[in-house]
Amino acid sequence: APSPAEPAHNPDAAVPVGIAKAFGSGVVKGGAELAGLPGDAKALVEAGLNKIMPAPAPSAPQPAPEGWYGNLVKGLESTRSALELPTSESNLAAVNKVVPLHEPETTAEKYASTVGEFLPGAMAAPGESMIGKAVQYAVAPGLASEAAGQATAGTSMEAPARIAAGFMSPGI
């Protein structure tokens, strides 16, 4: 029997904590994905263009120029790299370096995570009521998307079902 100073272990107490962690990680993931949309769109367009007009094979690397010209080239390359649009994937990788995101394990955590992923986009939607936007654009489509994903899990229809359900949910 546990001593009075040591409470009994309650496995059910971990459920709300897991749900909260999954929801918080979902919000962070949704924010990183929302911020990466311009880069994702650019990458998608480039991939399409590369199928239509394949890029020429890369040539042998040229030695870096020296002197002031070399410094100018290096500076321009760094500026170009800094101005490159981040993608959802690069944003998530950067976040995971700082704070590892909680991977949902239970069905309840998966629902919480998916609703959390919808929340940043919901807050960017027009409207004045934060609660109304959260329900209409995060809770309803998040629950619908996760339900569709659960119903089609492991099939080739999982991703399309999640997307379609999110768009066709009663909230949108």
Side-chain angles (χ1 to χ4, degrees):
S3 68
E6 195 178 307
H9 175 69
N10 181 358
D12 293 335
V15 172
V17 172
I19 291 172
K21 284 181 181 179
F23 178 75
S25 289
V27 171
V28 171
K29 186 176 178 186
E33 290 171 345
L34 184 64
L37 277 177
D40 293 344
K42 178 182 174 247
L44 187 63
V45 168
E46 284 177 349
L49 289 175
N50 284 336
K51 285 188 179 197
I52 296 169
M53 302 177 299
S59 59
Q62 301 293 319
E66 303 215 7
W68 69 268
Y69 181 71
N71 290 337
L72 176 64
V73 169
K74 288 176 193 168
L76 290 172
E77 274 298 312
S78 330
T79 303
R80 185 193 61 76
S81 297
L83 295 176
E84 194 68 34
L85 292 172
T87 62
S88 297
E89 189 176 313
S90 66
N91 287 345
L92 285 171
V95 167
N96 273 316
K97 283 182 184 175
V98 179
V99 178
L101 297 176
H102 175 76
E103 284 300 319
E105 297 170 8
T106 66
T107 302
E109 288 181 11
K110 289 176 184 176
Y111 275 93
S113 179
T114 303
V115 170
E117 287 181 45
F118 277 80
L119 193 59
M123 293 302 105
E128 294 183 25
S129 166
M130 299 290 260
I131 293 173
K133 290 193 300 187
V135 170
Q136 184 175 5
Y137 300 118
V139 176
L143 293 175
S145 177
E146 186 58 37
Q150 293 284 325
T152 57
T155 70
S156 62
M157 292 305 297
E158 183 175 354
R162 284 179 180 276
I163 293 167
F167 277 116
M168 294 188 309
S169 74
I172 296 201

